[in-house]
Amino acid sequence: MRVSRCDISVPPTSIMSMFSTGVLVLTSPLHTLPLRIAPVLSYASQLVERTLYVHLQPGLNLANGNQPWPVFIPPVVDVSTLISCLYSKAADVCGHLDVRVLLTNIGSQSSASSGNAVTSCPFPTPQHLSHSPDVLLTDFPLKDRGQSHQITQCLQKYTGHCYVCGPSLPSVLLHPQLMKLLEKEEEQKEPEKQPEVLGTYTDVVVGGTFDRLHGAHKTLLNISCLLTNKRLLIGVCSEIMLQKKVLKELIEPYSLRVQKLKEFLEDIKPSIECEIVPLDDPFGESVVDPLLQCIVVSEETRRGGEAVNKRRADNDLPALVIHEIQLLKDAHHSEVEEEKISSSSLRSRLLGTLLTPPRESSHLPPLPYVIGLTGGSGSGKSSIAMRLEALGAVRIDCDKLGHEVYEPGTAAYNRVLEEFGADIMNDDKTINRRALGKTVFGNQERLKALTNILWPEIALLVKKRINQAREEGERICVVDAAVLLEAGWTDMVHEVWVSVIPEEEAILRIQERDGVTREDALRRLESQWPAAKQVQHANVVLSTLWEPEVTQKQVLKAWKLLQKRIQKGAGSQ
């Protein structure tokens, strides 16, 4: 459904999502917005699917009939508080939306040209947004339904002064039943206080990983921009700084994180100079840049800010003002996730979901649908395969098939003896795999000679098992294969699933399982594809890092989503 009218004045409780990007103009007084913001965002999320820009203009009157012009809002503490509240509520009620609080009109009017209202306008020309708006929304209260058309026209004109918008954009008056909230505001009304001005600085620094830009990142960045008059220096963790991060294999590449940061910052405050640099250590340029005046930290990183000042003192540089913001609570966190909104929690929620669409596989029969499951040694890959088997999948264990191809009389058996000699035979004529392993260990040429013999034979057995499953009417097969990617077997499967685990945990598991030294366990891992490289080929990622119950939930989620994909694929045949 698409709205063609230029104004909508009914609460959109029954209207399905229909717009990709919206601009929400908030006109309520700053002190009332924290109470109203949740229902307003809830209504907005029923109309907007992707990006919601939030523009603050408290006190804006869209009903007086005059031409409404944007004016500067002073950078006061209430604005900073509202930014945190807004992103926190957004995470609670519309977590699927990319919410961005725009700050172009927040600043001292003294920095603008003196003169009439037009020249002192924060928007000399309309600002381009990275996502072009296709709907305008406002919380301006509609007291007389006869004013609806006039108000929406004023909203269009006002927003057109601020941002580049298409002509005659639909406008929505988000006027939920606020009477109870208004009554509550009256009860809690306190004597009006003089707004507390927020200190601002010419040069501000902030740092972080900034993976999968979320509400806590946006709060940090918005408040940093609020404090900045001229330059914002942003340190972004490089690969060196990610080694101990949870599910580091799922962290976005540095270039992508920087790209998303630039787009976000250009939207929220294009007037400031944003300098983004890689962080190869916890301090970066914050301890050597003499122009910096302020560092923005969260509650948990305050000690880092203090450590920066200690280093600056060692370098004979003035201390930075430490501006601390509160952490945002995550109302939806699970038992294995942090209570705060965090990137690690978002990464954990990706486990079991489809990260990238399956590649074209028209050369494969649609059923059985074949999952290629792989992962490094100690990653728990086989335990996941057994869980999938318990749910109804046919498990094809490539390790067992590897044993079969060594059996006397097989083509592989004869070729291995021909290539490596009779010294690798046991007394009963079977191949001594331990002796064979010593022959190829550390010798890439000899190892390749062996895999060139074994892998094609194992692949033939895998295809035989898949065909057998098809004849028996099975719907899903799981090919449990440590070398799935190295052997190039992805052409036999519809999807690739990868199990990941931190290297230290994998080493401990290998030592305990196989009774080998740490050095042997590490060498085994180093001989395999690193997890990050495997994840690049994955459609679905899983992890057995936590308790078995958590793994089971991941597998169940992956299984249910897989059923939907198979059903959808069958429906499109």
Side-chain angles (χ1 to χ4, degrees):
M1 182 172 77
R2 182 77 187 182
V3 176
S4 57
R5 295 173 55 197
C6 290
D7 65 289
I8 307 168
S9 58
V10 296
T13 52
S14 61
I15 301 177
M16 61 189 290
S17 294
M18 60 192 82
F19 301 105
S20 175
T21 302
V23 175
L24 170 60
V25 178
L26 294 177
T27 66
S28 300
L30 287 176
H31 71 280
T32 67
L33 270 172
L35 281 173
R36 301 184 187 184
I37 198 64
V40 168
L41 286 173
S42 181
Y43 279 122
S45 69
Q46 295 174 48
L47 288 168
V48 179
E49 295 177 303
R50 186 179 68 174
T51 305
L52 181 65
Y53 291 110
V54 180
H55 175 95
L56 302 175
Q57 193 72 77
L60 178 67
N61 188 349
L62 295 172
N64 65 5
N66 296 325
Q67 176 70 54
W69 284 95
V71 297
F72 281 100
I73 304 170
V76 295
V77 172
D78 283 352
V79 172
S80 174
T81 303
L82 177 61
I83 288 170
S84 295
C85 175
L86 205 150
Y87 282 121
S88 178
K89 296 295 184 185
D92 287 349
V93 304
C94 54
H96 65 288
L97 278 184
D98 176 8
V99 175
R100 305 184 181 194
V101 182
L102 304 171
L103 302 176
T104 303
N105 64 323
I106 299 177
S108 172
Q109 189 165 339
S110 62
S111 62
S113 303
S114 59
N116 58 38
V118 176
T119 56
S120 63
C121 172
F123 299 89
T125 58
Q127 175 184 336
H128 279 273
L129 296 171
S130 57
H131 304 286
S132 181
D134 50 8
V135 68
L136 308 178
L137 310 97
T138 183
D139 67 338
F140 188 81
L142 181 67
K143 296 176 182 177
D144 179 357
R145 295 188 70 86
Q147 292 182 309
S148 172
H149 184 65
Q150 175 190 331
I151 291 172
T152 54
Q153 277 193 321
C154 285
L155 176 62
Q156 290 168 357
K157 290 178 181 177
Y158 172 84
T159 312
H161 293 316
C162 303
Y163 307 105
V164 175
C165 302
S168 301
L169 284 187
S171 301
V172 180
L173 303 181
L174 299 176
H175 55 93
Q177 302 301 316
L178 295 175
M179 291 308 297
K180 291 183 179 179
L181 290 176
L182 292 171
E183 290 170 6
K184 189 180 292 185
E185 290 166 12
E186 286 298 320
E187 292 171 6
Q188 298 176 354
K189 196 170 184 180
E190 298 178 359
E192 192 169 341
K193 298 178 181 178
Q194 187 71 20
E196 182 183 349
V197 178
L198 199 64
T200 57
Y201 309 89
T202 57
D203 295 82
V204 176
V205 64
V206 67
T209 305
F210 299 108
D211 177 43
R212 305 183 189 279
L213 215 55
H214 53 64
H217 291 143
K218 293 174 182 179
T219 302
L220 186 69
L221 292 166
N222 266 94
I223 292 178
S224 296
C225 287
L226 193 64
L227 297 170
T228 306
N229 292 325
K230 182 182 176 184
R231 178 181 67 127
L232 177 61
L233 176 63
I234 306 172
V236 178
C237 291
S238 66
E239 297 295 325
I240 298 172
M241 293 283 288
L242 303 180
Q243 297 310 306
K244 294 185 179 180
K245 295 286 185 182
V246 176
L247 298 172
K248 64 183 177 68
E249 298 85 3
L250 293 179
I251 294 177
E252 295 171 321
Y254 175 84
S255 59
L256 180 58
R257 286 179 280 139
V258 169
Q259 176 188 329
K260 289 183 176 181
L261 268 177
K262 287 180 177 178
E263 180 192 287
F264 179 79
L265 294 164
E266 183 65 24
D267 273 345
I268 66 170
K269 198 170 182 180
S271 62
I272 62 173
E273 174 192 345
C274 292
E275 184 181 342
I276 302 175
V277 295
L279 268 182
D280 295 330
D281 62 69
F283 300 102
E285 295 188 22
S286 66
V287 296
V288 295
D289 190 327
L291 299 177
L292 294 173
Q293 297 175 324
C294 173
I295 184 169
V296 185
V297 299
S298 65
E299 296 170 67
E300 67 176 2
T301 60
R302 183 177 182 90
R303 286 187 178 180
E306 293 168 350
V308 165
N309 275 339
K310 187 175 184 303
R311 287 287 191 95
R312 286 180 69 87
D314 294 340
N315 293 336
D316 295 323
L317 293 174
L320 304 178
V321 174
I322 298 178
H323 186 96
E324 179 183 320
I325 64 171
Q326 291 185 332
L327 296 171
L328 298 191
K329 300 294 183 182
D330 186 348
H332 308 291
H333 74 277
S334 70
E335 68 274 14
V336 299
E337 295 171 352
E338 297 179 277
E339 291 186 8
K340 65 172 185 174
I341 295 175
S342 71
S343 299
S344 60
S345 294
L346 295 184
R347 292 195 294 274
S348 72
R349 292 170 198 174
L350 293 174
L351 297 173
T353 67
L354 190 66
L355 299 180
T356 57
R359 66 177 187 172
E360 196 277 328
S361 56
S362 58
H363 65 287
L364 297 175
L367 293 177
Y369 199 84
V370 184
I371 301 300
L373 177 63
T374 191
S377 185
S379 68
K381 166 185 61 66
S382 294
S383 69
I384 291 173
M386 287 187 281
R387 290 176 186 276
L388 291 168
E389 184 177 28
L391 290 169
V394 174
R395 180 189 176 201
I396 301 173
D397 187 343
C398 290
D399 190 49
K400 287 184 178 179
L401 297 183
H403 284 80
E404 286 186 29
V405 300
Y406 278 110
E407 290 180 1
T410 62
Y413 173 87
N414 294 327
R415 289 184 60 197
V416 168
L417 289 181
E418 182 181 336
E419 178 72 32
F420 294 95
D423 292 343
I424 61 168
M425 276 200 303
N426 293 312
D427 293 338
D428 61 359
K429 304 298 183 181
T430 59
I431 291 175
N432 185 325
R433 295 181 67 183
R434 185 182 293 269
L436 178 60
K438 288 180 180 179
T439 302
V440 301
F441 183 76
N443 187 325
Q444 288 299 315
E445 185 178 338
R446 298 300 283 157
L447 178 61
K448 190 173 187 306
L450 178 61
T451 57
N452 284 344
I453 296 170
L454 299 180
W455 286 352
E457 296 299 322
I458 296 173
L460 288 174
L461 291 179
V462 170
K463 290 176 182 177
K464 181 179 178 181
R465 297 294 194 277
I466 293 173
N467 289 333
Q468 182 180 340
R470 182 178 303 110
E471 291 169 3
E472 294 171 356
E474 301 289 352
R475 296 184 72 249
I476 299 174
C477 288
V478 176
V479 178
D480 178 358
V483 297
L484 180 84
L485 299 173
E486 293 95 322
W489 291 343
T490 53
D491 63 338
M492 296 192 296
V493 304
H494 294 86
E495 293 182 19
V496 174
W497 292 17
V498 173
S499 177
V500 298
I501 201 78
E503 184 179 271
E504 283 303 313
E505 177 67 19
I507 289 171
L508 291 173
R509 291 184 182 185
I510 295 168
Q511 285 184 268
E512 184 178 345
R513 182 190 67 195
D514 300 338
V516 298
T517 66
R518 174 183 171 82
E519 290 70 25
D520 286 340
L522 184 58
R523 275 197 293 269
R524 186 176 304 176
L525 290 175
E526 289 174 344
S527 70
Q528 302 171 347
W529 276 23
K533 185 176 180 180
Q534 293 186 13
V535 166
Q536 291 174 8
H537 297 264
N539 301 110
V540 174
V541 174
L542 299 157
S543 178
T544 61
L545 176 59
W546 300 278
E547 297 299 319
E549 295 78 14
V550 178
T551 301
Q552 182 66 12
K553 288 180 181 178
Q554 283 179 37
V555 174
L556 279 172
K557 176 167 68 172
W559 180 259
K560 289 176 181 177
L561 292 173
L562 173 64
Q563 300 297 324
K564 291 180 180 178
R565 292 198 291 281
I566 295 174
Q567 187 174 4
K568 183 178 179 181
S572 63
Q573 297 295 317

